[in-house]
Amino acid sequence: MEIKKYTQQEVNSTLWRACDTFRGKIDSSIYKDYVLVMLFIKYVSDIYKEHKEVLMEKYDNDVEMVQRQMRYERFVLDEISTFDYIYSKRNQPEIGEIINKSLAHVEEENKTKLRGVFKNIDFNSESVLGNTKERNSMLKNLLEDFKNLDLRPSRLIEEDVIGNAYEYMIANFASDAGKKGGEFFTPSEVSELLSRLVKPEENDRIYDPTCGSGSLLIKAFNKIPSGKAQIYGQERNGQTHSLARMNMFLHNIDDAKIAWGDTLSNPLHLENDKLMKFQVVVANPPFSLDKWAMGFAGEGSDKAFKMEESLDPYKRFGFGVPPISKGDYAFVLHMIHSLAEGGRMATVLPHGVLFRGASEGKIRQKLIEMNLLDAVIGLPANLFFGTGIPACVLVFKQNRSRDDVIFIDASKEGFYEKGKNQNKLREEDIQRIVDAYDNYETVDKFAYVATKEEIKENDYNLNIPRYVDTFEEEEMVDMEAVAENIAKIKSELAEVEEQMEKYLKELGL
């Protein structure tokens, strides 16, 4: 009998249908964590089950031998850690607690990889999932939805179906969650653009200081066919941090180092008590984060707190301290100080960073004087979840071999696909930007290479229209043709009026 294999679309559709269990009862920004954790457990359980079946056959059902071999599996599970065990208890009144214990057991059995990955989720939470009756009903439905999804590797059409399905779910949740969605997901095509701009190489350390669910890191990592690179990320939101870790495992990246904490006040990737250095940095930090420096205030501080350069033990704010109400340049300076010699960095930012004055203007000037800025790229509006404001990408490099800066305006109509709620960069749009950046030449109405002197003359204002002239001259009006057209219309109108008069006479009116 031919074995049924599941396509990407079938897996995606089944997963999205599973969300019906929660829709209308719980906000999607909350129930996404339950669905994605269940996907992870089902996946590792199904892999474990299939490998066990293979070994049982190989060792002629020698249980002891198989158990010994299974200790070397990528993830180690025992009976009460599997999805099948949880499913068998779906009618138990304490099913929420049973799932929690199973997750704790999975963590305990896989301490080095999974420690703390489920710490932010509670399947027995009355405040989130409702009273016992409602909660048990929802969890039973969820388990039944997943029961029919066979995620054994031999049942999937392609190797990366699960990783893609996880990204599909996160993207859908981000879209569904509106503004909150932008906090944990960067649209796939924007991640693709950034990863092509920074050109990751073998043995690079790749870093995202505000990694969200980790999609940007995975895109950059996948640019290295051999997979010989080390991923580092940090995320402030606990739930999103767990999502990122599971995302890495589902993409077969088991050694990613994803830390949990505030990157600005508590950077966790350090070497010899200094910021660790990375060859590649990619990021989509929160736009214009208010109160970004409160982590430096310490306990007992009040509203009068004022961020000062001396409060940062890692000396990141020597170029200036960004305004407390806009954290964009705080993240930029953190990333600049995390770049290794020859390192490349690309980050998404709001347009305000290009022209705002005061301390941000001084920081911008310093970044240009120190010859760190390599490119300014204007993106179309409405690319991101939850915000319609136009964004840009700034590319920085350590040890640049040139001192001019390329400006690329990819925001015009025709350079993206218009969507009902959200616009999208197509493959040709991404490649057009990357080609312009790689060629580093002026392209009429699209790209302009500005000298440092020109930028200085513009008072270090980087607003793209100052450099890329996208003005389209209006077509000359042919007055003779217009006059001829008017005469023709008048003539036709006279004919109609004459005809009308005839009809009226015939009717005796």
Side-chain angles (χ1 to χ4, degrees):
M1 189 176 73
E2 190 180 349
I3 296 173
K4 161 72 178 166
K5 290 200 172 193
Y6 292 88
T7 64
Q8 184 73 66
Q9 194 176 357
E10 285 172 318
V11 173
N12 291 355
S13 302
T14 306
L15 287 172
W16 196 235
R17 276 200 305 275
C19 299
D20 288 340
T21 293
F22 296 102
R23 284 197 184 97
K25 299 168 191 158
I26 303 173
D27 191 276
S28 65
S29 63
I30 295 172
Y31 75 67
K32 77 177 189 308
D33 298 321
Y34 292 91
V35 174
L36 292 172
V37 164
M38 196 53 70
L39 170 61
F40 183 78
I41 288 298
K42 184 70 167 70
Y43 171 65
V44 295
S45 292
D46 283 0
I47 287 186
Y48 193 81
K49 186 162 68 177
E50 182 163 274
H51 287 188
K52 191 174 179 182
E53 287 166 1
V54 170
L55 288 173
M56 287 295 278
E57 189 175 339
K58 181 177 178 183
Y59 294 109
D60 198 21
N61 294 321
D62 183 339
V63 175
E64 199 174 315
M65 172 66 89
V66 170
Q67 281 178 341
R68 269 207 304 275
Q69 292 295 318
M70 294 299 285
R71 299 304 298 175
Y72 301 104
E73 282 291 299
R74 186 170 164 228
F75 293 104
V76 176
L77 302 182
D78 59 14
E79 189 201 349
I80 71 159
S81 313
T82 64
F83 176 85
D84 287 348
Y85 172 81
I86 298 171
Y87 179 77
S88 71
K89 305 291 181 189
R90 65 190 181 284
N91 291 313
Q92 297 287 319
E94 70 282 12
I95 180 61
E97 188 56 31
I98 290 171
I99 299 175
N100 283 346
K101 283 181 180 171
S102 292
L103 295 182
H105 217 72
V106 175
E107 276 193 24
E108 180 63 26
E109 289 290 308
N110 301 275
K111 284 181 198 166
T112 53
K113 286 180 179 171
L114 298 181
R115 186 191 293 274
V117 79
F118 304 124
K119 63 181 176 294
N120 291 301
I121 189 130
D122 180 2
F123 279 84
N124 204 35
S125 169
E126 186 164 336
S127 60
V128 176
L129 299 176
N131 63 34
T132 305
K133 189 179 174 187
E134 291 170 339
R135 186 165 69 245
N136 287 351
S137 170
M138 269 192 279
L139 294 177
K140 182 183 174 186
N141 284 335
L142 182 68
L143 290 166
E144 286 175 346
D145 287 335
F146 273 87
K147 174 66 179 172
N148 298 322
L149 194 61
D150 191 341
L151 301 179
R152 284 179 289 176
S154 63
R155 301 302 173 98
L156 301 174
I157 292 283
E158 293 167 2
E159 193 179 321
D160 49 2
V161 164
I162 298 301
N164 292 342
Y166 196 81
E167 288 275 320
Y168 164 84
M169 294 291 283
I170 291 176
N172 273 281
F173 284 129
S175 175
D176 217 29
K179 190 174 180 181
K180 289 178 187 170
E183 294 174 9
F184 57 82
F185 187 72
T186 302
S188 174
E189 68 274 11
V190 178
S191 298
E192 179 64 27
L193 171 64
L194 264 61
S195 67
R196 290 192 202 177
L197 291 170
V198 293
K199 300 179 174 33
E201 296 173 0
E202 265 194 11
N203 302 318
D204 277 351
R205 283 175 171 173
I206 304 171
Y207 175 50
D208 183 345
T210 55
C211 70
S213 55
S215 56
L216 248 172
L217 283 169
I218 291 167
K219 283 279 185 193
F221 180 83
N222 286 340
K223 289 284 170 284
I224 304 169
S226 68
K228 289 181 182 171
Q230 180 67 54
I231 281 182
Y232 296 81
Q234 185 161 341
E235 171 56 41
R236 188 170 68 167
N237 181 295
Q239 271 108 346
T240 309
H241 166 253
S242 294
L243 286 187
R245 289 181 63 195
M246 286 187 276
N247 201 7
M248 295 295 154
F249 290 125
L250 294 175
H251 281 89
N252 295 313
I253 306 170
D254 285 6
D255 60 352
K257 300 183 189 309
I258 309 294
W260 178 24
D262 181 348
T263 294
L264 297 176
S265 63
N266 185 26
L268 293 168
H269 294 298
L270 304 173
E271 260 181 342
N272 302 320
D273 297 327
K274 294 179 179 173
L275 293 180
M276 187 179 277
K277 301 292 184 183
F278 304 91
Q279 286 75 35
V280 167
V281 180
V282 284
N284 177 17
F287 285 3
S288 302
L289 182 66
D290 192 15
K291 299 176 185 169
W292 62 269
M294 293 313 288
F296 293 88
E299 291 179 10
S301 295
D302 53 25
K303 289 180 182 174
F305 168 72
K306 185 173 182 292
M307 180 61 193
E308 294 173 1
E309 181 191 341
S310 60
L311 292 174
D312 178 32
Y314 305 103
K315 305 184 189 312
R316 289 167 290 181
F317 304 116
F319 290 0
V321 177
I324 200 83
S325 60
K326 290 185 173 57
D328 303 309
Y329 273 109
F331 288 107
V332 169
L333 291 173
H334 168 78
M335 289 185 263
I336 290 285
H337 284 81
S338 301
L339 266 187
E341 290 290 310
R344 293 89 66 202
M345 156 186 158
T347 178
V348 181
L349 294 161
H351 268 226
V353 301
L354 302 178
F355 52 79
R356 289 194 297 248
S359 63
E360 290 182 289
K362 289 176 186 165
I363 294 168
R364 194 166 57 240
Q365 178 176 342
K366 205 71 183 168
L367 289 168
I368 294 161
E369 287 175 348
M370 297 300 288
N371 201 25
L372 292 162
L373 182 64
D374 201 43
V376 177
I377 302 167
L379 297 177
N382 280 329
L383 281 185
F384 296 87
F385 297 109
T387 176
I389 66 169
C392 61
V393 174
L394 297 190
V395 183
F396 294 90
K397 276 185 179 174
Q398 283 280 11
N399 310 110
R400 296 179 74 225
S401 57
R402 56 196 315 149
D403 63 0
D404 41 16
V405 176
I406 189 166
F407 290 77
I408 299 171
D409 186 355
S411 65
K412 282 197 309 179
E413 237 176 78
F415 293 163
Y416 61 93
E417 182 181 293
K418 272 193 170 183
K420 189 178 173 188
N421 299 318
Q422 209 180 334
N423 296 327
K424 194 174 179 180
L425 288 174
R426 299 158 297 195
E427 167 57 29
E428 62 263 35
D429 304 322
I430 296 171
Q431 198 53 49
R432 186 186 296 112
I433 297 170
V434 174
D435 286 345
Y437 175 65
D438 288 347
N439 294 332
Y440 223 87
E441 290 173 352
T442 295
V443 179
D444 189 34
K445 301 191 188 310
F446 185 64
Y448 182 77
V449 180
T451 63
K452 200 181 274 189
E453 288 68 34
E454 285 177 276
I455 297 173
K456 187 178 177 183
E457 283 169 16
N458 272 310
D459 201 21
Y460 298 97
N461 184 322
L462 301 176
N463 207 15
I464 297 169
R466 287 182 180 236
Y467 302 92
V468 184
D469 178 13
T470 56
F471 179 73
E472 297 280 356
E473 284 191 14
E474 288 186 20
E475 201 176 325
M476 292 291 287
V477 178
D478 184 343
M479 294 308 293
E480 281 185 20
V482 171
E484 195 177 315
N485 200 28
I486 291 172
K488 188 179 170 192
I489 292 169
K490 279 183 176 175
S491 167
E492 287 173 355
L493 186 62
E495 281 179 27
V496 171
E497 283 175 345
E498 191 181 340
Q499 194 65 39
M500 281 293 291
E501 202 173 324
K502 278 185 189 172
Y503 290 151
L504 290 172
K505 275 184 183 173
E506 284 172 14
L507 293 169
L509 297 171

